[in-house]
């Protein structure tokens, strides 16, 4: 038995060890396995073995100590929980013997979490549930959860959408204050705001959209003049109906964007505002922010101006009808158009053609990639996937919107406050690989500086029709950086423009709504509250999560639909390559599925320069845009990923390898 002196010395030793211990703060990163990492604030990662990973959750802020293990390797030991960021999550209810658990669907939580009896909310086996961490596992690695809401069971109509909303913490209802504000608005509020606005109700504006669209936020008009056309783009003006800092504006900021889920969108603003009082419906007065601009005969832009106006659309026209008119077809709907509308549409087409020609010569156009429309059945699952044809009417509207947005960007460039969409072009972390690609397969472009707008345009234009051993343009396009919002003007490399913003979708995107506020504040001294840097970052994070939510729901619906494909061979092209295999996009319906290298004969190495998969012995190649034939091979239910089996592939000439695995 230790005497008092020995105990005192032991306590002092423990204290000295604790004081001399070096701890590192960092953030927990999960993996698909049971282990993980801590991304230290100093910039390096520390390995967390499974027993330590059991004590933490993805995103936790922790202090770790680093200890050396065999062969000079180190690993982390969690010393202290500083902050936990994972609050709510979704999963499936599981009963195992007398234990009740949630099997999380959140990436990185690779364990069952116990649910105490009082926190189960009568959930049943296999229910999808929305949960909250009830007890953090930091002390003993045994966390607990509580059920906040039962979402439903697999197979129920609409469960995919409900589950996605819960997964991404998206609200499907409006806060009481927002609903009260929306319910308090009426047609009389439009009339009360007409004073001081230009009356343009006598002019033949029309909307051009899909037949089912209700939130119509742009109406168009064009007239010829001596040097080209006067193009007038009227944009719905929700900022006139929604007060600054009001509940509806705050909720629009929180949502950031409307999300166009298949079958049932999630709006940014209440329907009474977005599809009724602010939508540019035909034959009723609506408030608009109008951009009038000069389009010269060569498609360049001349003078422009912004106006607060009242308009009255002469018609809600479909893309199909306008395309038929452009192509000279005649039917009863076209014959019924008022002469002023028909004349304006003709001038709109001419102006848009000139605008597109200018952009093709001086900027960059995105390629016309095949698009597809999902048709759902009564159970809200995919019944049919059909091509969505992009016609001349779509291109007409696109050119008008781009022209108006260019004017808004130019205007804000000269103001003290702005909001811009910035696109830096190619990813900096891929610079060495891209340089090697150009040197090997487009050496005449080796001297081009892709960081400069002119150089990036030249690179993308000249590789578009380049005949080379590899699809250089497709490889470059797979390595573009993400566009970001910024307060200062900067190039949008992807569009080949020196500055760009958008204000043409204020019913659907908060950034466009905010640009309306900026324009009005600059021109008419209308009060507004400027966004902070932190708010701008939060807005971008919410936009990204919205895209992730839409992609997640589509992936679920498509993976279920894929099970109806059968085993017949299907034609497609390779759309993406990774070291483990390649993704194929089907020609008929746009579905993407994965072909694993494990299912191919032999071993393949991945070339990070050409993004090719190359057989180690016979040199067989799989690369972007390569035509292949595949068959359905099942679905990875955990990832909701479609898997294909290769049937045959168009052979690619073998050449020198850029890398060996």
């Amino acid at each position: 038995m230790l005497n008092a002196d020995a105990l005192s010395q032991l306590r002092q030793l423990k204290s000295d060890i604790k004081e001399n211990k070096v701890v590192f703060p960092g953030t927990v990163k999960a993996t698909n396995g049971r282990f993980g990492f801590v991304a230290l604030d100093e910039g390096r990662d520390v390995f967390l073995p499974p027993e330590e990973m059991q004590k933490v959750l993805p995103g936790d802020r922790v202090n770790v100590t680093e200890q050396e293990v065999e062969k000079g390797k180190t690993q982390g030991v969690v010393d202290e929980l500083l902050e936990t960021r994972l609050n709510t999550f979704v999963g499936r209810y599981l009963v195992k013997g007398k234990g009740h658990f949630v099997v999380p669907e959140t990436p990185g939580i690779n364990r069952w979490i116990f649910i105490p009896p009082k926190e189960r909310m009568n959930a049943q086996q296999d229910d999808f549930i929305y949960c909250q961490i009830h007890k953090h596992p930091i002390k003993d690695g045994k966390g607990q959860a509580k059920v906040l809401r039962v979402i439903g069971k697999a197979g129920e109509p609409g469960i995919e959408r409900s589950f996605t909303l819960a997964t991404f913490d998206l609200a499907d209802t409006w806060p009481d204050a927002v609903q009260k504000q929306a319910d308090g608005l009426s047609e009389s509020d439009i009339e009360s705001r007409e004073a001081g606005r230009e009356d343009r109700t006598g002019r033949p504006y029309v909307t051009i959209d899909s037949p089912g669209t209700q939130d119509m936020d742009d109406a168009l008009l064009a007239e010829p003049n001596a040097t080209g056309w006067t193009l007038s783009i009227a944009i719905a003006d929700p900022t006139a109906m929604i007060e600054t800092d009001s509940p509806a504006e705050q909720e629009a900021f929180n949502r950031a964007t409307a999300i166009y889920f298949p079958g049932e969108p999630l709006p940014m603003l209440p329907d009474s505002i977005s599809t009724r009082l602010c939508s540019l419906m035909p034959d009723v007065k609506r408030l608009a922010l109008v951009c009038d601009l000069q389009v010269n005969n060569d498609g360049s832009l001349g003078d422009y101006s912004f106006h607060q106006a009242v308009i009255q659309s002469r018609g809600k026209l479909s893309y199909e009808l306008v395309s038929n008119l452009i192509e000279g077809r005649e039917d009863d709907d076209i014959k019924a158009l008022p002469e002023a509308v028909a004349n304006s549409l003709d001038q709109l087409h001419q102006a848009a053609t000139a605008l597109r020609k200018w952009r093709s010569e001086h900027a960059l156009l995105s390629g016309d990639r095949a698009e597809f429309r999902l048709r759902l059945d009564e159970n809200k699952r995919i019944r049919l996937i059909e091509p969505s044809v992009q016609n001349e009417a779509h291109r007409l509207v696109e050119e008008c919107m781009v022209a108006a947005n260019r004017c808004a960007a130019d205007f804000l460039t000269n103001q003290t406050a702005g909001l811009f969409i910035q696109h830096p072009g190619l990813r900096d972390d891929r610079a060495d690989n891209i340089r090697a690609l150009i040197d090997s397969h487009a050496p005449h472009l080796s001297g081009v500086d892709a960081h400069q707008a002119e150089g990036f345009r030249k690179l993308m234009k000249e590789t578009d029709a380049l005949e080379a051993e590899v699809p250089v343009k497709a490889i470059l396009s797979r390595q573009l950086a993400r566009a970001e919002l910024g307060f200062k003007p900067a190039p949008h490399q992807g569009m080949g423009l020196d500055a760009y913003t958008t204000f043409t979708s204020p019913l659907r995107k908060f950034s466009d709504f905010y640009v309306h506020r900026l324009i009005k504040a600059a021109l008419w001294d209308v009060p507004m509250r400027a966004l902070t840097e932190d708010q701008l970052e939060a807005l971008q994070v919410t936009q990204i999560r919205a895209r992730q939510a839409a992609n997640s729901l589509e992936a679920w619906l498509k993976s279920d639909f894929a099970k109806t494909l059968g085993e017949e061979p299907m034609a497609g092209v390779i759309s993406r390559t990774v070291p483990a295999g390649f993704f194929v996009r089907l020609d008929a319906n746009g579905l993407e599925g994965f072909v694993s290298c494990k299912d191919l004969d032999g071993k393949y190495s991945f070339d990070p320069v050409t993004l090719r998969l190359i057989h180690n012995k016979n040199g067989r190649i799989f690369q972007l845009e390569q035509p292949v034939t595949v068959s359905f091979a099942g679905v990875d239910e955990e990832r909701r990923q479609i898997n294909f089996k290769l049937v045959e592939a168009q052979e690619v000439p073998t050449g020198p390898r850029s890398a060996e695995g």
Side-chain angles (χ1 to χ4, degrees):
M1 185 172 179
L2 296 175
N3 59 29
D5 287 342
L7 287 172
S8 176
Q9 290 174 1
L10 184 59
R11 282 194 293 268
Q12 183 62 43
L13 178 62
K14 288 182 178 180
S15 177
D16 290 343
I17 292 173
K18 187 172 183 179
E19 287 180 7
N20 294 325
K21 182 168 57 177
V22 179
V23 296
F24 302 94
T27 303
V28 175
K29 295 195 305 186
T31 66
N32 290 330
R34 293 178 58 237
F35 61 89
F37 296 89
V38 176
L40 302 184
D41 293 353
E42 65 180 39
R44 62 189 179 93
D45 288 354
V46 171
F47 175 76
L48 277 188
E51 61 270 20
E52 291 299 309
M53 198 64 191
Q54 280 290 109
K55 302 177 185 177
V56 292
L57 299 168
D60 278 356
R61 293 280 300 161
V62 296
N63 276 334
V64 295
T65 56
E66 194 173 11
Q67 60 180 210
E68 188 172 342
V69 292
E70 58 180 347
K71 297 180 181 178
K73 295 181 179 179
T74 64
Q75 66 183 31
V77 175
V78 179
D79 186 71
E80 180 184 12
L81 177 67
L82 301 176
E83 177 189 2
T84 185
R85 294 175 178 175
L86 180 69
N87 184 29
T88 57
F89 63 99
V90 293
R92 181 172 52 84
Y93 199 84
L94 175 69
V95 180
K96 209 71 173 173
K98 295 183 178 181
H100 291 233
F101 304 88
V102 55
V103 182
E105 294 266 343
T106 299
I109 310 182
N110 302 318
R111 73 189 91 157
W112 302 351
I113 300 178
F114 180 70
I115 304 176
K118 293 182 179 180
E119 309 296 346
R120 294 170 183 170
M121 285 194 67
N122 297 317
Q124 304 297 314
Q125 174 77 19
D126 292 329
D127 278 349
F128 286 122
I129 52 178
Y130 181 60
C131 299
Q132 185 176 49
I133 295 296
H134 183 57
K135 175 194 168 197
H136 196 281
I138 187 66
K139 290 185 177 180
D140 55 9
K142 299 177 181 179
Q144 294 182 4
K146 64 185 293 185
V147 179
L148 297 179
R149 185 172 76 250
V150 175
I151 301 169
K153 287 190 182 296
E156 293 179 355
I159 186 64
E160 299 86 354
R161 184 177 187 275
S162 299
F163 184 82
T164 301
L165 292 177
T167 300
F168 290 89
D169 280 319
L170 300 172
D172 203 18
T173 57
W174 300 103
D176 291 343
V178 176
Q179 193 63 60
K180 182 179 179 181
Q181 182 180 352
D183 292 344
L185 294 171
S186 66
E187 294 286 340
S188 63
D189 290 284
I190 296 175
E191 296 174 9
S192 68
R193 289 163 170 78
E194 289 181 12
R197 288 177 171 258
E198 293 182 24
D199 183 356
R200 297 197 177 189
T201 55
R203 304 186 68 184
Y205 288 98
V206 292
T207 62
I208 305 172
D209 224 315
S210 300
T213 301
Q214 298 299 317
D215 52 348
M216 293 168 286
D217 47 19
D218 59 85
L220 305 174
L221 168 67
E223 297 170 335
N225 57 41
T227 57
W229 302 266
T230 300
L231 180 59
S232 187
I233 300 103
I235 305 300
D237 192 3
T239 60
M241 303 289 285
I242 298 172
E243 294 84 1
T244 299
D245 278 346
S246 65
E249 181 175 73
Q250 292 172 11
E251 183 66 10
F253 171 80
N254 291 337
R255 296 191 176 207
T257 179
I259 307 177
Y260 287 87
F261 290 129
E264 190 178 355
L266 188 70
M268 183 184 79
L269 293 168
D271 284 346
S272 59
I273 296 174
S274 62
T275 67
R276 188 164 59 85
L277 294 175
C278 289
S279 179
L280 302 182
M281 300 186 297
D283 305 322
V284 293
K285 290 183 177 181
R286 286 294 178 262
L287 307 180
L289 179 61
V290 180
C291 177
D292 291 338
L293 64 115
Q294 170 66 27
V295 179
N296 298 320
N297 287 318
D298 64 354
S300 61
L301 302 185
D303 293 338
Y304 60 84
S305 57
F306 294 95
H307 309 265
Q308 296 185 93
V310 183
I311 73 162
Q312 186 165 313
S313 169
R314 299 290 184 87
K316 178 188 176 186
L317 308 183
S318 69
Y319 288 116
E320 184 180 9
L321 183 148
V322 174
S323 182
N324 288 341
L325 175 67
I326 291 171
E327 294 172 6
R329 301 175 190 171
E330 287 197 8
D331 58 30
D332 291 342
D333 290 334
I334 292 175
K335 291 176 181 178
L337 291 174
E339 183 179 359
V341 169
N343 290 339
S344 176
L345 289 171
D346 179 56
Q347 298 303 319
L348 279 168
H349 176 234
Q350 293 183 46
T353 301
L355 287 166
R356 195 166 188 84
K357 183 174 183 293
W358 185 92
R359 283 212 298 143
S360 69
E361 294 172 354
H362 302 281
L364 289 173
L365 296 176
S366 56
D368 286 339
R369 174 182 166 179
E371 299 292 340
F372 296 87
R373 184 182 294 113
L374 308 183
R375 300 294 191 188
L376 305 189
D377 59 21
E378 64 277 6
N379 293 317
K380 299 184 180 181
R381 294 187 179 85
I382 297 175
R383 170 179 56 85
L384 174 69
I385 302 178
E386 59 185 13
S388 177
V389 179
Q390 298 292 305
N391 57 36
E392 280 301 309
H394 289 90
R395 285 184 276 274
L396 181 159
V397 173
E398 177 187 357
E399 291 305 324
C400 291
M401 297 304 106
V402 170
N405 288 328
R406 287 171 59 196
C407 292
D410 183 76
F411 175 75
L412 292 179
T413 296
N414 300 307
Q415 307 304 315
T416 55
L419 185 66
F420 301 88
I421 303 175
Q422 307 167 349
H423 185 260
L426 297 167
R427 289 171 50 175
D428 286 339
D429 62 331
R430 303 292 175 86
D432 291 342
N433 289 339
I434 292 168
R435 191 176 302 111
L437 173 73
I438 299 302
D439 289 345
S440 297
H441 300 283
H444 64 291
L445 297 172
S446 291
V448 172
D449 184 0
H451 290 94
Q452 301 298 319
E454 184 177 347
F456 183 82
R457 282 196 296 267
K458 180 179 177 65
L459 185 63
M460 300 306 282
K461 282 175 177 288
E462 295 200 17
T463 56
D464 198 21
L466 180 68
E467 292 188 10
E469 184 183 322
V470 300
V472 177
K473 176 69 177 291
I475 296 169
L476 293 175
S477 297
R478 290 297 315 177
Q479 301 179 88
L480 294 176
R482 175 182 286 154
E484 296 181 344
L485 294 173
F487 291 132
K488 301 295 183 182
H492 192 300
Q493 300 279 54
M495 296 186 70
L497 298 171
D498 293 334
Y500 193 66
T501 192
T502 56
F503 83 108
T504 50
S505 296
L507 301 177
R508 310 174 188 185
K509 294 194 299 181
F510 184 82
S511 55
D512 291 42
F513 181 98
Y514 182 72
V515 171
H516 277 234
R517 292 273 196 232
L518 290 170
I519 292 172
K520 288 183 172 184
L523 287 175
W524 301 291
D525 201 26
V526 176
M528 66 163 291
R529 184 183 294 275
L531 292 176
T532 65
E533 290 282 359
D534 287 345
Q535 288 174 322
L536 185 65
E537 183 179 352
L539 185 64
Q540 293 189 108
V541 169
T542 307
Q543 287 178 339
I544 292 170
R545 283 181 61 79
R547 286 194 293 270
Q548 291 172 337
N551 292 340
S552 177
L553 178 55
E554 282 202 16
W556 190 342
L557 294 174
K558 287 177 178 178
S559 65
D560 280 347
F561 177 78
K563 297 171 186 175
T564 68
L565 292 175
E567 299 180 0
E568 297 79 11
M570 300 169 289
V573 295
I574 295 178
S575 57
R576 185 156 59 99
T577 56
V578 293
F582 54 87
F583 290 85
V584 175
R585 191 171 196 250
L586 299 182
D587 297 339
N589 52 29
L591 289 180
E592 284 199 342
F594 185 64
V595 176
S596 173
C597 285
K598 294 179 181 178
D599 298 328
L600 303 173
D601 292 333
K603 292 186 177 181
Y604 285 79
S605 297
F606 181 72
D607 180 354
V609 173
T610 62
L611 306 186
R612 285 174 151 189
L613 285 161
I614 306 171
H615 194 283
N616 287 351
K617 291 185 178 179
N618 62 28
R620 189 183 191 189
I621 291 170
F622 294 105
Q623 68 180 23
L624 296 177
E625 297 189 339
Q626 181 180 350
V628 295
T629 302
V630 296
S631 61
F632 177 65
V635 170
D636 182 332
E637 297 292 354
E638 185 175 342
R639 298 182 184 180
R640 299 197 174 100
Q641 174 183 283
I642 302 168
N643 292 325
F644 289 146
K645 179 172 66 175
L646 182 69
V647 176
E648 61 179 320
Q650 178 177 304
E651 290 300 320
V652 173
T654 58
R657 304 184 200 182
S658 300
E660 289 290 343

